[in-house]
Amino acid sequence: MSRWMKLISLVLVVFITASLFVACTTTDNGSDTDDKEAGDSGSSDGTTAGKTKVVYWTHQRHDMEVIQDLIDQFMEQNPNIEVEMTVHTDDYTNVLNLAYQNDQAPDIHTGGPPLKDMVDMGRYEPLDDLMSPEVRAKNEQYFVEGINMIDGKIYSLPHVGNNFRLVYNKDLFKAAGLDPEKPPKTYQEVIDYAKKITEYGKTQDPPKYGFCLPTAETWIWWQYADQLAKVAGWQYFDYKNLQYNYKVEKPILELYLQMQKDGSLFPGGLQLKNDPARAQFSEGNIGMMTAASWDVGVFNDQFPAKIDWGVAPLPTPDGVVKGKGEFRGGIYLFINSESKVKKEAMKLFEFLISDESLTRYYEEGKGVPLRPEIAANSKNPPTLKGFKDFADTSMDALYPPEPPGITIEGDDRGTVFNTIMAGKVDIDKALQDLDERMNRAVQAAIDEGKFDPEVYRIENFDPMNPTGK
């Protein structure tokens, strides 16, 4: 049995319990975005007006008000600490990288580049000696190599998780002659529904479109392609042979290419970022798009929807689910290894993942903490529109991590997919080349000792039971 399987066994037990309650909202790969006008200052020098200053960066806009309120509470309880929160959104990963390169990185922050890369560069501080015994005990079952641990050292702690669905405009469905209570289940239905909505939308001002594929931020293919592949039972990563096989996602690309050919896609997708797309959906100009659980907060608060919208499972080629949807969780914040206020930053971290803070976060519908007892013990379950549809995680599951330290030569996957959508390359040749380059990078990482292949190898991977338990 691989070390991964041993590590995940406890996680899965908790997830089964959590599935009764959990819908989650944050991402380590995505960019839940919109910019807030704020200073760009990085890690503090440790003092300001007699107080210890902690600089905190986040790439999440949907929960900004709740987090700021929690930070205000933290400062009231700790009058000797001042926390400066800044929301960075557009191109967050590059902004954070640049900040680290110029010694301007914050003391503590959400998300960012791959964990392994940041650890290898010495940018993140291990939390093992910083966290309290109580926090360690509450979260120990969630410590997983490749997710929040590298070489046995802990670099982050869980907050919430996230899962994925199709969101759709019920008003547009009805206006286009579609049943608003019967969202599409198959790829062909998505194509047909999108075409009908677009035909109706041509008579409206502004025009309406059947589907939106905003891929200017290329990370989002992880949401628009990988998540559809998982529920179809197609694994773009072969856990047995440790090989990438993005060719399995060809039908998903063909789905989008057909809608593009039909004129059913919202215009400018290759230049469209996720926030403007979500704003257009809330305005009523888009019939369907994929969404993550954090988008519940977006459509209720950040861009309050002016429409009646629904949530449905992601479509599959034939309407049959052959793999569990992905449920992601395990990381939240990271502490800058060069910070002069690591203890204070850790104190803030522990406050934000305390039972009280997590309960507040859950009850306001921003997400459900990974620890199921928080939701189970809540006296005021959230009532936000769309929340319960993400909260039902019976068809979602934790997935094992992919190997870290993979550095591909040439265009990355998102860029390749965008090039395919632009019609600049042959789809088969492009996917074949992508797979070959990805797998050369995997072998190079193994040869360089960047990861132990046996930790990530799963001999009999089952997409309906991803952890094998």
Side-chain angles (χ1 to χ4, degrees):
M1 179 182 291
S2 73
R3 206 173 345 152
W4 159 253
M5 299 302 293
K6 293 176 182 178
L7 286 167
I8 199 61
S9 59
L10 284 174
V11 180
L12 183 62
V13 170
V14 176
F15 172 74
I16 292 171
T17 304
S19 65
L20 296 174
F21 309 105
V22 179
C24 307
T25 75
T26 196
T27 182
D28 58 316
N29 291 321
S31 175
D32 182 19
T33 63
D34 198 78
D35 236 349
K36 172 190 174 186
E37 293 296 330
D40 291 329
S41 59
S43 178
S44 69
D45 62 3
T47 60
T48 175
K51 296 183 179 182
T52 300
K53 181 180 178 181
V54 176
V55 177
Y56 168 83
W57 283 10
T58 176
H59 67 288
Q60 299 179 141
R61 172 76 182 265
H62 79 285
D63 62 359
M64 183 179 71
E65 293 181 2
V66 173
I67 294 299
Q68 183 62 67
D69 192 46
L70 289 172
I71 287 174
D72 290 344
Q73 292 181 32
F74 173 79
M75 290 190 291
E76 288 178 7
Q77 296 175 20
N78 298 273
N80 61 321
I81 300 176
E82 177 186 348
V83 179
E84 177 186 279
M85 182 177 86
T86 300
V87 180
H88 287 281
T89 56
D90 289 338
D91 207 20
Y92 177 70
T93 295
N94 287 334
V95 169
L96 193 63
N97 257 329
L98 188 62
Y100 269 102
Q101 291 169 11
N102 292 303
D103 297 323
Q104 292 294 317
D107 299 300
I108 185 170
H109 61 83
T110 63
L115 173 60
K116 173 69 173 174
D117 293 349
M118 298 296 272
V119 170
D120 286 349
M121 288 185 282
R123 291 176 172 177
Y124 289 167
E125 182 72 14
L127 306 183
D128 304 69
D129 296 331
L130 288 173
M131 74 178 83
S132 68
E134 294 78 14
V135 167
R136 175 184 285 274
K138 285 184 177 181
N139 293 283
E140 197 151 13
Q141 57 196 319
Y142 300 103
F143 297 156
V144 179
E145 184 71 24
I147 291 182
N148 48 31
M149 297 177 68
I150 297 293
D151 297 330
K153 293 183 178 179
I154 303 160
Y155 289 92
S156 193
L157 297 166
H159 182 238
V160 297
N162 51 62
N163 53 5
F164 307 87
R165 300 288 187 264
L166 181 79
V167 292
Y168 66 101
N169 182 331
K170 289 187 174 185
D171 294 336
L172 273 183
F173 266 53
K174 187 175 181 180
L178 299 168
D179 188 337
E181 303 307 321
K182 293 183 178 180
K185 295 181 179 181
T186 69
Y187 289 0
Q188 188 59 52
E189 286 178 342
V190 172
I191 291 169
D192 294 342
Y193 289 17
K195 186 182 294 186
K196 286 185 178 181
I197 291 169
T198 304
E199 284 300 315
Y200 163 76
K202 291 177 181 178
T203 68
Q204 304 300 300
D205 185 19
K208 318 298 180 186
Y209 294 87
F211 200 94
C212 188
L213 180 67
T215 60
E217 299 160 296
T218 56
W219 70 264
I220 209 166
W221 281 109
W222 162 74
Q223 176 175 312
Y224 276 84
D226 295 355
Q227 305 310 323
L228 269 68
K230 285 180 166 64
V231 296
W234 304 331
Q235 292 306 307
Y236 63 88
F237 182 73
D238 177 353
Y239 286 98
K240 179 179 180 179
N241 298 303
L242 303 184
Q243 294 280 289
Y244 281 90
N245 182 25
Y246 280 113
K247 289 187 292 293
V248 301
E249 296 189 347
K250 179 182 176 181
I252 299 169
L253 288 164
E254 290 176 329
L255 162 67
Y256 297 135
L257 286 167
Q258 184 60 54
M259 286 192 287
Q260 180 173 268
K261 181 180 178 181
D262 293 341
S264 300
L265 293 183
F266 191 85
L270 294 176
Q271 291 79 43
L272 188 64
K273 295 184 177 181
N274 198 29
D275 255 6
R278 294 183 295 186
Q280 289 290 333
F281 179 81
S282 289
E283 286 292 323
N285 298 324
I286 292 169
M288 296 173 285
M289 62 189 301
T290 71
S293 47
W294 61 73
D295 287 319
V296 170
V298 172
F299 297 137
N300 279 280
D301 299 319
Q302 182 180 341
F303 303 124
K306 300 176 182 179
I307 57 171
D308 184 15
W309 56 283
V311 181
L314 294 174
T316 64
D318 56 4
V320 179
V321 175
K322 298 178 183 177
K324 289 292 185 73
E326 185 172 16
F327 178 88
R328 297 179 64 93
I331 65 171
Y332 182 34
L333 303 176
F334 300 95
I335 293 179
N336 183 350
S337 63
E338 298 298 321
S339 170
K340 297 180 176 62
V341 292
K342 294 171 188 173
K343 290 183 179 180
E344 290 80 3
M346 190 70 226
K347 191 169 187 177
L348 172 65
F349 196 162
E350 293 191 350
F351 177 84
L352 291 175
I353 62 170
S354 67
D355 289 6
E356 295 77 15
S357 295
L358 288 174
T359 298
R360 164 84 183 278
Y361 198 88
Y362 166 68
E363 291 181 346
E364 295 209 14
K366 302 305 180 184
V368 177
L370 204 58
R371 291 195 286 117
E373 65 270 21
I374 300 298
N377 296 333
S378 171
K379 296 180 180 179
N380 301 293
T383 58
L384 278 183
K385 184 177 180 62
F387 190 90
K388 68 181 182 63
D389 299 292
F390 284 93
D392 178 5
T393 59
S394 58
M395 287 303 293
D396 299 318
L398 294 170
Y399 270 72
E402 297 165 32
I406 309 301
T407 304
I408 186 175
E409 294 183 3
D411 289 341
D412 62 14
R413 185 275 298 270
T415 302
V416 171
F417 279 20
N418 273 357
T419 305
I420 291 171
M421 291 300 300
K424 295 181 179 180
V425 293
D426 176 80
I427 186 170
D428 293 307
K429 291 180 180 179
L431 293 177
Q432 179 67 30
D433 175 69
L434 175 63
D435 287 341
E436 290 175 356
R437 289 186 293 112
M438 286 294 298
N439 292 325
R440 285 198 298 270
V442 171
Q443 188 58 53
I446 293 174
D447 294 343
E448 294 168 12
K450 291 187 175 180
F451 69 91
D452 178 355
E454 295 311 311
V455 171
Y456 297 89
R457 193 184 309 279
I458 301 175
E459 288 293 331
N460 299 299
F461 181 80
D462 178 1
M464 288 299 289
N465 185 16
T467 58
K469 294 292 182 179

